[in-house]
Amino acid sequence: MTGLASLWSTERVDGVLAPFAEAGLVGPFEIQLAAAAGRAAPDASDDELLALALVARATRLGHVCLDLDQVRRQVAASQDDEGTAVELPLPDVGSWSRTLASGLLVAAPDRAHDDPLRPLVWDGVRLYLQRYWSFELAVAEQIIVRSASAPDGVDGLRPSHVDAALEAVFPAEAPDEPDLQRLAARRALIHPVTVMAGGPGTGKTHTVARILAATLLMSEARGESARVALAAPTGKAAGRMKEAVDDRVADMVTAGLIDQRMAVRMRAVTPTTIHSLLGSLGRSGFRHDRTNPVPHDLVIVDETSMVSLPLLARLLDALRPAARLVLVGDPSQLSSIEAGTVMADLVGPGDDESPQADRPLAGKVTELRAGHRFLSGSTTSALSHAIKRGDADGAMALLDAGDAEVHWIRPEDTGAMAALRRGMIDAARQIVLAGLAGQDRTALDAAERVKVLAAVRHGPNGLFEWSDAISNGVWDALPVAKRSGWPRIGMPVMVTANDPVNRLVNGDVGVVVELGGVRRAVIGGSGELRRLATSRLGEWEPWWAMTIHKSQGSEFSHAVVALPTVDSPILTRELLYTAVTRAKPEVTVVGSEEIIRLAISRPVARASGLRYRLWPGA
């Protein structure tokens, strides 16, 4: 193509996308992508170029596809500076659909893999980038194929073997309702793919530990060595999984369900990140795939709500045909930062017990309900449930009740805000004092006791405002620590990038401590503390506060939930639910009634077709 023609293509795309760029709905990436497509296919229509830009933008916002029936809600939620909804020149859905059905940039699903590949796939309802359509199709096909296996054909296990092992690890009880934990364990041991869903404290880790014990017992009885992997999306979540499973192992020893020898075997199964399990090669992909599968017989993934669609596709691709996969998580929590709503799509309509040929997970999804993290009658538990079901009136009543567990501070209440800041600074002082004294475990415990969880990074009540307020207050109170170099002694830190050389992963947390006159970064997590020279920290940030997104997989005795003072697209029901359920059990919510109600009334509505592929008609 000549330079003049290339310029014409760019100018044409700029014209088509100008209103959307002005509204902030497309950026330079989408504009350049559409321009490149326009140069490759000069006869492509303006509606196709617009569709390409909008679906590319949608995937960057976590959507897997663009639903034309919901396109105005999905992409036109922008507002101008005065809060007035922006009117966008979107095509009529009917004519747009007809254009896509015959477009030069668009493939039908049955021709999507033909050569030459086209950047878009249109299935008559949803529009995909080719890449994400392939990921969604791969996940659905893998689950369908694996779920079709006969239960007693998975590694030669028979239901009778499973029941015998479960008798050993689940004490005999006569509950008032069905033992859903035991049911989830049984399904996990006899089906190739199962899903265990539940909120905080419903016994997910309790059940995972028993699945692990039963698997090892069955392998011993057969004179074999079971290969089991425990995995999570992040290093922080993997470390938390290790701690929680080890605690349950100790409980099982105390209850006489397993002996010390079995406890040692169970503790030897160390959780890792999914990326590590697959053998991440950075930009080159993964070492393990269908031609070089991971060797494990059973893979249990925790915090599945944080798993993206592309990562789940690669995990399924890398499992041996006879391996079992157990996906554990809370479908009401925030989804992955990347594209997909994996956990919610897998759970579908819930406990559907009627096996159907076109519903591969029917009878393989177990939703745990009884909460154990909070004491019976806990106000924090009641608040999380009110948020989860979208009951704004109920949530506000609980926040306004003055309970010892649940506190509500309005941003305009200057006295209460000042008292809260003083409390956070005092809590930070305890971290620094322990760091100065060389008390590394005490410092870590103090850092993990109370934490500000911010919805946004910038602006009033955001992460940076809280971090500055806490750090300035503590350094003013303890100038000796302020003069201790950088990072300062007593400063809590969070690792922000994977560092295989120093065995650090994104999300690891620690505290800078003076040990023997030398500053060390003491990193917590599963197992023994790691003490590193501060020069080996790599990429990190102060951990006086954290975003709600990064708090997933964590627990704090007191969680301070900081909401913005103005509306933001990030404010959703799932965000607030995730923040409140980090508390064990005390929570303080800082936000206006208007903002809290807005968040509760706004469930995440990511576009995805995976649920419809796994649960058609649901």
Side-chain angles (χ1 to χ4, degrees):
M1 174 173 282
T2 67
L4 185 61
S6 177
L7 179 62
W8 173 84
S9 176
T10 302
E11 290 178 345
R12 174 192 172 202
V13 168
D14 285 343
V16 171
L17 299 182
F20 301 87
E22 290 170 5
L25 295 179
V26 298
F29 170 77
E30 291 80 26
I31 292 171
Q32 290 301 318
L33 177 64
R39 289 192 293 271
D43 294 329
S45 67
D46 289 354
D47 285 354
E48 289 178 77
L49 297 176
L50 173 61
L52 177 60
L54 292 181
V55 74
R57 177 62 171 168
T59 58
R60 296 215 295 158
L61 295 175
H63 301 280
V64 176
C65 56
L66 195 66
D67 186 335
L68 289 200
D69 288 335
Q70 300 292 325
V71 69
R72 291 191 181 275
R73 176 194 54 77
Q74 196 172 332
V75 305
S78 179
Q79 294 181 326
D80 64 18
D81 293 338
E82 299 181 358
T84 304
V86 176
E87 195 62 39
L88 295 169
L90 289 166
D92 172 74
V93 172
S95 63
W96 203 1
S97 299
R98 288 189 291 275
T99 298
L100 293 174
S102 59
L104 297 176
L105 302 178
V106 187
D110 59 344
R111 302 292 303 276
H113 288 144
D114 290 354
D115 190 33
L117 293 177
R118 302 187 183 192
L120 296 172
V121 178
W122 168 242
D123 70 359
V125 179
R126 290 171 289 273
L127 182 69
Y128 297 82
L129 289 180
Q130 169 82 226
R131 180 170 180 262
Y132 287 94
W133 176 82
S134 296
F135 283 136
E136 184 176 283
L137 191 66
V139 167
E141 288 182 344
Q142 280 275 3
I143 290 176
I144 290 168
V145 170
R146 290 177 181 276
S147 297
S149 302
D152 59 0
V154 182
D155 283 349
L157 297 179
R158 295 187 178 276
S160 58
H161 301 156
V162 172
D163 290 334
L166 292 177
E167 286 293 333
V169 297
F170 278 95
E173 295 179 353
D176 295 332
E177 59 183 43
D179 189 342
L180 295 177
Q181 295 174 356
R182 181 166 178 158
L183 174 63
R186 188 176 191 278
R187 286 172 166 172
L189 292 170
I190 65 173
H191 291 296
V193 181
T194 52
V195 179
M196 178 165 52
T202 52
K204 297 190 296 293
T205 307
H206 173 97
T207 309
V208 165
R210 279 151 178 78
I211 293 170
L212 175 58
T215 299
L216 297 178
L217 287 171
M218 288 188 294
S219 68
E220 276 193 352
R222 296 159 61 188
E224 299 173 355
S225 179
R227 295 163 295 185
V228 181
L230 303 179
T234 67
K236 176 71 173 177
R240 178 64 190 151
M241 188 183 190
K242 172 66 173 173
E243 294 171 4
V245 170
D246 283 355
D247 287 346
R248 301 292 83 75
V249 170
D251 293 342
M252 294 174 72
V253 172
T254 301
L257 300 176
I258 58 173
D259 57 23
Q260 287 292 349
R261 181 185 57 82
M262 178 58 68
V264 169
R265 289 193 64 195
M266 292 178 68
R267 292 191 182 104
V269 182
T270 302
T272 185
T273 64
I274 299 173
H275 283 78
S276 296
L277 176 68
L278 296 178
S280 176
L281 300 173
R283 293 183 179 275
S284 300
F286 296 96
R287 184 168 64 253
H288 293 293
D289 55 22
R290 69 180 59 193
T291 63
N292 179 31
V294 295
H296 303 91
D297 308 308
L298 171 65
V299 175
I300 303 175
V301 177
D302 196 16
E303 298 288 358
T304 304
S305 64
M306 299 167 64
V307 176
S308 68
L309 179 70
L311 187 58
L312 180 60
R314 291 183 168 112
L315 175 61
L316 285 163
D317 186 57
L319 293 180
R320 296 187 307 110
R324 281 169 287 132
L325 176 65
V326 183
L327 297 165
V328 184
D330 184 350
S332 297
Q333 278 191 196
L334 286 167
S335 297
S336 165
I337 293 176
E338 298 180 64
T341 53
V342 163
M343 191 65 192
D345 289 343
L346 292 170
V347 171
D351 293 327
D352 186 335
E353 301 295 332
S354 54
Q356 299 177 42
D358 61 347
R359 292 190 175 187
L361 291 177
K364 303 178 183 73
V365 176
T366 311
E367 290 192 271
L368 306 182
R369 300 189 183 93
H372 304 285
R373 173 182 293 180
F374 306 108
L375 296 175
S376 177
S378 161
T379 309
T380 305
S381 176
L383 176 61
S384 70
H385 282 93
I387 295 168
K388 181 178 179 178
R389 63 177 180 265
D391 180 5
D393 289 341
M396 297 311 306
L398 291 165
L399 286 168
D400 207 23
D403 186 85
E405 283 184 0
V406 174
H407 318 286
W408 176 26
I409 296 178
R410 299 161 180 82
E412 66 273 15
D413 188 340
T414 56
M417 288 295 294
L420 178 62
R421 278 192 291 270
R422 288 194 298 270
M424 297 306 299
I425 292 168
D426 184 61
R429 287 181 66 253
Q430 306 310 310
I431 307 170
V432 177
L433 289 171
L436 289 168
Q439 300 170 343
D440 46 13
R441 289 191 180 275
T442 301
L444 274 171
D445 288 344
E448 295 182 336
R449 191 171 301 127
V450 56
K451 193 66 61 181
V452 173
L453 311 181
V456 296
R457 286 182 171 269
H458 302 277
N461 222 21
L463 172 70
F464 296 134
E465 182 178 86
W466 272 104
S467 290
D468 288 346
I470 295 169
S471 60
N472 291 337
V474 77
W475 303 137
D476 288 345
L478 297 169
V480 63
K482 186 176 182 178
R483 296 191 296 268
S484 65
W486 188 261
R488 293 165 180 162
I489 294 173
M491 178 181 285
V493 295
M494 172 181 282
V495 177
T496 58
N498 293 334
D499 181 0
V501 173
N502 292 306
R503 296 188 300 113
L504 297 174
V505 296
N506 189 359
D508 276 350
V509 295
V511 177
V512 178
V513 177
E514 186 172 53
L515 297 172
V518 180
R519 279 181 302 133
R520 291 284 184 264
V522 181
I523 306 299
S526 58
E528 291 297 314
L529 300 181
R530 286 171 290 159
R531 299 170 178 86
L532 307 173
T534 53
S535 60
R536 295 172 59 192
L537 262 181
E539 297 182 40
W540 61 276
E541 62 185 23
W543 189 47
W544 303 112
M546 66 194 306
T547 63
I548 295 172
H549 273 91
K550 287 202 171 184
S551 74
Q552 288 181 271
S554 301
E555 292 178 356
F556 304 100
S557 299
H558 182 191
V560 177
V561 181
L563 302 178
T565 56
V566 296
D567 188 18
S568 166
I570 202 171
L571 278 175
T572 64
R573 182 183 304 169
E574 288 78 4
L575 185 86
L576 186 56
Y577 171 83
T578 298
V580 168
T581 54
R582 299 310 93 203
K584 189 183 178 182
E586 187 177 1
V587 63
T588 296
V589 178
V590 182
S592 68
E593 179 172 351
E594 178 187 8
I595 287 294
I596 295 169
R597 286 183 176 274
L598 264 174
I600 295 173
S601 68
R602 184 188 287 157
V604 169
R606 287 186 173 182
S608 166
L610 182 60
R611 176 188 173 105
Y612 303 101
R613 296 181 191 276
L614 299 177
W615 301 98

